[in-house]
Amino acid sequence: MDRKGLTAAEVAQRSKDGKNVLTQGKKKSLIAVILSQFASPLLILLIVAAAISLATGEVVDGIIIITVVLANVIIGTVQEISAEKSVEALKQINASTAVVIRDGAEKEIPAAELVVGDYVILEAGRVIPADLLLVQTSSLKVNESALTGESLAVEKDSNEKSDEKTPLGDRKDKAFMSTLVEYGRGEGVVEKIGDNTEIGKISGMLNSITKQETPLQKNLNSISMVLGIAGVVLCILMFVCQIFIYNTEMIETLMISIAFAVAVIPEGLATVVTLVLSMGIQKMSKRNAIVKQLHAVETLGAVNVICSDKTGTLTQNKMTVVRWYLSGSEKEPDEVDKDEAVFSRLLTGFLACNDAKYSEETGEEIGDPTETAFIKYVKDNKLGYDAIMSGITRFDEIPFDSDRKMMTTLDRVEKDGKTVNISFTKGAIDSVIVGCDRILDENGVREITNEDVLLASHSAEGMSSEALRVLALAYREGDDKPQETGMVFVGLAAMIDPPKEGVKETVDECHHAGIDVAMITGDHKITAFAIAKELDIATDISQSISGAEIDATDPEEFRKNVLNYRVFARVSPENKVQIVQAFQSHGKICSMTGDGVNDAPSLKAADIGVAMGIGGTEVAKDAAEMILVDDNFITIKNAVMEGRNLFNNIKKSVVYLLRSNFGEVVLMASAIFAGLSSPLSTIQILWVNLLTDTAPSLALGMDVGSDSVMNEKPRDVKGGILNKGDYLNIVIQGVISGMAVLLAFLFPVISEYGAGDIIGIIDSDPEILKLCRTYCFTALAVNELLMAYVCKTKGSLAFATKESWNNKVLNIITVAGLVLQFAVLLIAPLRSLLKLAPVGAGDIAVILLIALGGVLINAAITLAKERLDIKRERNI
C-alpha cells in the first residue's frame, strides 16, 4: 500500500462525492409540535364547543373551555419539544479531526474533509474518523461497544480478511467511524465516509423508523371519537325535538345544544390523563427511571416482552475472577489459601503483567476489563494492593499481539529482602504452556510433565465451555531481557462479567407476571447463553441464535419463529430492529434496552425504548423513551410495576369521568326530551366537570399502588382501556346518578305544587327554574364528589373499609370540594356568577339526602355486580 497517500488533485476530485458528515433528519419545528397537539379528537370537540359558546354570546363559558384546551397544548408541547435529537447526537460523537498522509506528508485535518482513499494514522485515544481498511496494526485495540455492544476492546489485525457478511464485531481488518482506539497504533485507508459508514446506516435507520401510537393514545382517541359521534347524534336529535316538537326559539335551542354538548364531553379527560402521567413520571424518577415522554409511562404497564442488553444491565460490566487453577486443581476464590506460595506467585504475576491502574480519586479500576479484574479481586479481598505493587518495578516488556497471544513484562521484584528480575508472561494457555519446562506446585518448582499439561489444558477447556475467559501465567527469574521460553508454569485464572445481584430474582418475577425476557447482545453465543442460563432467561442452547444465523434465515421464517428464542447474540443494528419488529408482529408490546449507538434504531422501533444513564451514549438516550439512572435491570421491572399501577389509576379516572358525564347526559336528555327546560346551564355543567369531576379524577390517578399487580398477566392492549364490565358500570352508575339528580331538579316544584303541570310551572317562572337548577347543580356536585369512592373501592362496600380512605389526596379534595360547593351557595357574588338561587338549611338537607341516596344505591349495586362477576369467573 502506497504510504504517500492521496495527492491534492485526487482529494479535490473525490471531494465532489460529498463531505464525511451524517445527513440530519428533518427536524420538527416548534409550530409543527404545537399544531400536532391539536390532533386529539377530544381537543377538537372542545374547540367546537368553545366556538359555539362564543358565537352565542356565552363568553365566560367559551373562555373556560379555551383555557382547558390551551393547558393541554402547553403541557404536551413542553414534553415533546426535546424528544427528537437522536441524529443530532450522532454528530457530536464523531471525530472532529483526523491525522492523514497527503502528498507524502503527515497532517491533521477536519474529519469532515476526509475522502475515500485517504491514508489515516491511528493511535491510542483517537476516535476513528471514517470506516477504514487497516493496512498496518501494532497491538491495536479498538473499543467498539457503542457500535456492536461488545464490552471488551477488539484486537485488530490487518492480516485477517473479512467481507460484508462477516459480523461487525469479527471484522478484525476494519475500523469503524466513531469507535475509539484504546491501545496500540494502526494505519488504514478510508473505505466509506458519511452516510455510507456503518454509523451512517444507523443514522438512516433512525430517520426511517416511525414511532407508533401507544395503546393509551389509541384507546383515548377511540373513546373521544365515540363520544364525539354520540354527542353529535344526540345534539341533532335534541335540536330537532326542540324546534319541531316543542317549538323552542332558535337561540334558546342553540344554548341548550351547547349545554348538552358540554355534558357529553368530559372536558377534564385529556387534562387529567396528562397530569396523571406527569405525576407518574415524577414518581418513577425517584426510583431511578427517567421517562421522557408522557405516554411511555402507561406503555410500560402493557409490556409483555423485555429485550435486554447483557453487559451492564443484566451483568455488572466488571470482569470478576471466579475460579483459579493451581497445583493441579481448580479452586473457587474463597477456597484458596491466600498466604500459600503458589497462589501468592500467581496473583503477583497477574498484577505485575498488567497495564490497568487503580484510581485513588474515583476508587475505581482503570484499564482493560480482563486486567482490572485482578485489581478488583485484591481490593475486594483486602490483600494489600498498594503493598504488593510497591515491591514491583517494571523496566521492560513485550507487548501483547494477536500472533503470540501473550504479554510479557520484566520486573524488579522484592523477594526475601532481595531484588530479583522476573519475567511474567500471561496469555492463552496454548501459547504460554509450550514455553514452560517447569511447573510450580505446593512442593516447589519441578519439571513439567505431560500429565501436568493435560490437566491444565483440560481445566482451561472446561472453564472456557462455561463461557469463562481464561488466562495462564508463567514466569522466569534472573534475566536482563524479557523471556518467553524456559518458563515456570504457575496456573490459570478464569473470569466472567457476572450477573448483577437480584437480577435472577427479578427475571423470575417478570416470568411470574407474564413477561418474557430476551437477551440481545454483541457477545458470542456461548458466552451469552451461559449468562442467560444462570439468570433463567434460557434453558437450552437451542433458544439462542446469532446475527449471522438470522441473516441466513428467511425474514418471514424468522418472524414466525422469533418466540422460540431467548438469546440473540452477535447481532447487528439491523438485526436488533428486525428482532423487535418480529416480536411486535405477534402482538407483543416490546421494551428494548441498550446503551450504544448501535442500539438507537431498535430503541426507537420498540414500543418503549430504555437507555442506560451511566454507560449510555447520547444517541441511545435521545432515541429512548426512558433512561435508567442506575443501568439496572431491576429498575425496568419496577418501572413496569409502576406502569401497571398507573394504568389502573388512569382507568379509575377515566371510568369516573365517563360515569359522571354519562350521568349528566341521562339527566339532560331525560329532561329535554320530556319537554322540560335544561336542568343546568352551560357554565354550571363546566363547573361540575372541571372542579367537582376533574379534581377527584386527578386524585384517583394518584391512588395508592400495589405490588400485587405483578401477580397479574399483562393486559391485552387490543381490549382497550375499558372492558365490557367497565362500560356496564358506567351505564348503571350513570343512570342511577342521573335519575337521582333529576329528582333533585323536580323536587322544588313537586314539593310546592305537586306533580301536576311541572313543565308549565318551570317555564312560566324564571325564579322557580333558578331554584330547580340550584337543587340539581348542588346534588350533582355532591353526588359526583362522593362517587369517586365508589369507583376507587374494589371488592368491598365503598366507605366501609380502610381501602376506601387510604387516598389522602382524594380525602382532601372531597372535603375541599364540598366546602367550595356550599360556599358557592352562600356567597352572593359566586352565586350570581353561576346563576343560582338562595337556599336555606332545609333545602341543603334535602339536596344532601337525594345525593347520598344515589351514591349508596350505586355502591350497593356495584359491590353486588363485582361479587357476581367473581363467582362467574370461578365457575368458568
Side-chain angles (χ1 to χ4, degrees):
M1 180 67 68
D2 186 2
R3 204 173 182 276
K4 293 181 179 180
L6 299 177
T7 64
E10 288 174 320
V11 170
Q13 179 62 34
R14 299 186 187 197
S15 295
K16 297 177 182 178
D17 295 331
K19 283 187 170 291
N20 182 35
V21 295
L22 302 175
T23 302
Q24 299 298 294
K26 188 177 180 182
K27 287 182 63 177
K28 206 174 182 181
S29 68
L30 177 61
I31 297 298
V33 172
I34 294 173
L35 291 176
S36 69
Q37 307 304 315
F38 290 95
S40 167
L42 194 57
L43 288 187
I44 293 172
L45 287 173
L46 289 175
I47 291 169
V48 171
I52 296 174
S53 295
L54 294 172
T56 55
E58 295 292 334
V59 178
V60 175
D61 297 359
I63 291 173
I64 291 174
I65 298 174
I66 289 171
T67 302
V68 173
V69 172
L70 291 177
N72 280 281
V73 171
I74 291 169
I75 292 171
T77 300
V78 169
Q79 289 293 331
E80 189 177 331
I81 200 72
S82 61
E84 292 295 328
K85 296 178 182 176
S86 300
V87 182
E88 294 174 61
L90 283 169
K91 206 174 184 182
Q92 297 172 8
I93 65 167
N94 288 342
S96 57
T97 62
V99 177
V100 299
I101 295 177
R102 287 181 176 176
D103 291 318
E106 189 174 302
K107 61 177 69 176
E108 189 167 0
I109 65 170
E113 295 179 6
L114 282 175
V115 297
V116 174
D118 257 324
Y119 198 95
V120 179
I121 307 298
L122 301 176
E123 57 188 14
R126 278 201 170 271
V127 176
I128 294 172
D131 284 4
L132 310 177
L133 172 65
L134 298 172
V135 296
Q136 183 180 331
T137 53
S138 176
S139 303
L140 182 65
K141 290 185 179 182
V142 178
N143 186 331
E144 297 181 341
S145 59
L147 185 64
T148 66
E150 187 171 0
S151 55
L152 298 176
V154 178
E155 299 166 18
K156 296 295 182 178
D157 186 351
S158 58
N159 294 319
E160 293 202 20
K161 301 300 176 187
S162 64
D163 55 32
E164 291 296 318
K165 294 182 180 180
T166 307
L168 284 179
D170 295 332
R171 298 181 192 177
K172 301 294 179 68
D173 60 331
K174 303 288 177 69
F176 302 104
M177 185 184 203
S178 299
T179 58
L180 177 68
V181 179
E182 280 196 354
Y183 188 82
R185 287 178 53 84
E187 298 177 3
V189 176
V190 175
E191 279 194 322
K192 298 174 183 177
I193 61 172
D195 291 339
N196 293 322
T197 62
E198 295 299 326
I199 211 80
K201 292 177 184 177
I202 294 174
S203 173
M205 290 169 66
L206 279 173
N207 290 333
S208 66
I209 294 171
T210 304
K211 288 297 293 182
Q212 301 178 1
E213 282 188 323
T214 68
L216 182 62
Q217 287 173 314
K218 294 175 183 176
N219 291 332
L220 289 178
N221 287 341
S222 176
I223 290 172
S224 301
M225 191 63 69
V226 170
L227 288 174
I229 294 171
V232 170
V233 171
L234 288 172
C235 282
I236 291 173
L237 288 174
M238 184 276 304
F239 187 87
V240 170
C241 181
Q242 289 290 307
I243 293 292
F244 295 104
I245 298 178
Y246 299 111
N247 299 315
T248 309
E249 292 184 5
M250 181 64 71
I251 295 297
E252 185 180 348
T253 301
L254 280 174
M255 296 306 298
I256 293 172
S257 298
I258 294 169
F260 195 82
V262 171
V264 171
I265 302 169
E267 290 84 358
L269 180 58
T271 305
V272 165
V273 171
T274 300
L275 290 175
V276 169
L277 290 172
S278 296
M279 287 184 288
I281 286 176
Q282 295 300 318
K283 188 174 182 181
M284 292 175 75
S285 68
K286 295 176 183 177
R287 302 191 68 170
N288 294 321
I290 298 174
V291 180
K292 293 165 49 184
Q293 296 179 351
L294 286 177
H295 290 277
V297 183
E298 175 273 334
T299 307
L300 275 165
V303 164
N304 45 29
V305 174
I306 297 176
C307 296
S308 178
D309 186 32
K310 177 182 76 69
T311 306
T313 308
L314 297 171
T315 64
Q316 298 176 16
N317 196 21
K318 288 185 177 180
M319 295 297 283
T320 303
V321 178
V322 294
R323 208 170 302 167
W324 300 98
Y325 174 86
L326 64 163
S327 298
S329 63
E330 292 181 17
K331 294 183 179 181
E332 299 294 324
D334 58 354
E335 294 176 343
V336 296
D337 180 356
K338 297 177 176 61
D339 295 322
E340 197 255 339
V342 180
F343 179 72
S344 178
R345 176 51 57 94
L346 184 63
L347 189 59
T348 300
F350 277 126
L351 289 174
C353 190
N354 193 319
D355 288 329
K357 303 295 180 185
Y358 180 77
S359 171
E360 294 291 347
E361 292 182 7
T362 63
E364 294 181 351
E365 304 83 24
I366 303 170
D368 187 287
T370 58
E371 295 189 321
T372 61
F374 297 105
I375 300 177
K376 182 177 183 294
Y377 179 85
V378 173
K379 287 286 185 179
D380 289 347
N381 289 277
K382 300 178 180 178
L383 299 178
Y385 173 74
D386 293 334
I388 295 173
M389 296 308 295
S390 65
I392 301 172
T393 304
R394 183 187 304 183
F395 65 93
D396 203 352
E397 66 181 287
I398 304 175
F400 176 91
D401 68 51
S402 54
D403 290 331
R404 292 168 33 254
K405 296 182 180 179
M406 293 187 297
M407 169 185 178
T408 298
T409 61
L410 183 58
D411 304 272
R412 292 189 179 96
V413 181
E414 291 184 10
K415 180 181 179 184
D416 300 327
K418 299 180 180 180
T419 301
V420 181
N421 290 353
I422 304 178
S423 285
F424 288 108
T425 300
K426 74 173 181 187
I429 185 172
D430 294 343
S431 300
V432 172
I433 208 163
V434 295
C436 298
D437 55 16
R438 289 161 293 161
I439 186 169
L440 177 66
D441 62 19
E442 67 272 16
N443 297 315
V445 177
R446 60 174 174 81
E447 285 191 15
I448 196 167
T449 65
N450 288 335
E451 185 180 357
D452 292 326
V453 174
L454 288 173
L455 276 173
S457 299
H458 180 72
S459 175
E461 288 175 9
M463 291 189 286
S464 295
S465 68
E466 298 176 42
L468 301 180
R469 189 179 180 95
V470 181
L471 288 177
L473 182 87
Y475 74 95
R476 173 170 161 163
E477 294 185 359
D479 297 297
D480 294 327
K481 294 288 183 182
Q483 302 292 328
E484 293 180 340
T485 59
M487 298 184 294
V488 179
F489 181 78
V490 185
L492 308 172
M495 62 202 81
I496 196 169
D497 180 10
K500 286 183 176 177
E501 186 177 346
V503 168
K504 183 178 186 297
E505 293 77 9
T506 303
V507 170
D508 291 338
E509 284 184 57
C510 288
H511 290 157
H512 184 66
I515 301 170
D516 293 326
V517 180
M519 177 192 291
I520 300 182
T521 178
D523 283 337
H524 290 281
K525 188 159 77 170
I526 292 176
T527 305
F529 172 69
I531 295 293
K533 186 176 182 180
E534 185 175 349
L535 293 175
D536 288 342
I537 292 175
T539 57
D540 191 88
I541 191 68
S542 63
Q543 293 176 292
S544 306
I545 187 171
S546 69
E549 290 169 328
I550 293 174
D551 292 335
T553 305
D554 177 71
E556 180 60 23
E557 189 68 22
F558 172 72
R559 187 195 66 78
K560 288 180 181 178
N561 296 323
V562 71
L563 299 181
N564 297 329
Y565 301 112
R566 288 294 174 268
V567 178
F568 302 88
R570 218 70 176 151
V571 290
S572 66
E574 293 87 350
N575 290 147
K576 292 185 178 185
V577 174
Q578 190 179 354
I579 292 163
V580 168
Q581 293 176 340
F583 276 122
Q584 290 172 331
S585 72
H586 288 272
K588 299 291 185 180
I589 302 299
C590 189
S591 167
M592 171 71 190
T593 72
D595 55 6
V597 176
N598 63 313
D599 296 315
S602 54
L603 289 174
K604 194 171 182 181
D607 296 282
I608 175 84
V610 182
M612 303 298 108
I614 299 173
T617 61
E618 287 303 311
V619 182
K621 291 175 186 177
D622 287 329
E625 285 83 15
M626 187 172 87
I627 299 171
L628 301 183
V629 175
D630 57 359
D631 289 11
N632 201 326
F633 182 81
I634 298 173
T635 303
I636 302 176
K637 185 271 295 183
N638 290 336
V640 170
M641 184 173 70
E642 290 293 343
R644 290 189 176 189
N645 277 319
L646 192 72
F647 177 81
N648 289 341
N649 289 345
I650 289 174
K651 184 173 180 176
K652 292 175 190 176
S653 297
V654 172
V655 168
Y656 172 74
L657 282 170
L658 294 183
R659 181 220 66 79
S660 300
N661 279 80
F662 188 72
E664 292 168 20
V665 169
V666 170
L667 167 68
M668 297 289 288
S670 300
I672 292 169
F673 287 125
L676 293 165
S677 296
S678 174
L680 297 167
S681 67
T682 304
I683 195 168
Q684 288 169 351
I685 296 173
L686 280 170
W687 172 277
V688 172
N689 284 1
L690 296 178
L691 295 179
T692 59
D693 277 3
T694 301
S697 65
L698 190 58
L700 287 173
M702 301 166 63
D703 208 5
V704 180
S706 171
D707 292 351
S708 63
V709 292
M710 294 304 283
N711 296 327
E712 304 167 4
K713 300 298 180 186
R715 74 177 192 277
D716 181 5
V717 294
K718 294 179 181 178
I721 192 171
L722 304 179
N723 55 37
K724 292 180 181 179
D726 296 322
Y727 284 114
L728 186 57
N729 280 339
I730 290 169
V731 171
I732 292 172
Q733 293 174 10
V735 169
I736 293 171
S737 294
M739 289 296 100
V741 177
L742 181 61
L743 174 61
F745 176 70
L746 299 175
F747 185 84
V749 177
I750 295 173
S751 63
E752 184 71 25
Y753 302 103
D757 185 17
I758 296 176
I759 296 175
I761 293 170
I762 292 176
D763 287 346
S764 63
D765 190 342
E767 292 303 316
I768 287 289
L769 175 60
K770 183 184 287 189
L771 180 62
C772 289
R773 282 181 171 175
T774 302
Y775 264 68
C776 180
F777 170 67
T778 308
L780 179 63
V782 172
N783 178 279
E784 295 193 355
L785 281 169
L786 297 179
M787 276 301 296
Y789 291 92
V790 178
C791 290
K792 166 184 166 49
T793 309
K794 299 294 179 185
S796 58
L797 186 65
F799 311 108
T801 63
K802 289 182 179 180
E803 181 199 346
S804 297
W805 305 102
N806 65 1
N807 188 330
K808 293 180 181 179
V809 177
L810 179 60
N811 296 339
I812 292 170
I813 283 175
T814 302
V815 172
L818 290 172
V819 170
L820 186 61
Q821 188 60 38
F822 288 111
V824 167
L825 293 178
L826 301 175
I827 300 172
L830 292 176
R831 191 169 63 234
S832 175
L833 177 67
L834 291 169
K835 303 170 186 175
L836 300 175
V839 291
D843 296 310
I844 292 176
V846 172
I847 291 169
L848 286 174
L849 187 63
I850 294 173
L852 282 171
V855 171
L856 293 176
I857 292 171
N858 263 325
I861 291 175
T862 300
L863 177 61
K865 179 180 172 297
E866 282 182 5
R867 291 181 174 176
L868 197 63
D869 289 342
I870 293 172
K871 188 176 180 180
R872 188 181 298 114
E873 288 177 5
R874 286 174 179 171
N875 291 334
I876 293 173

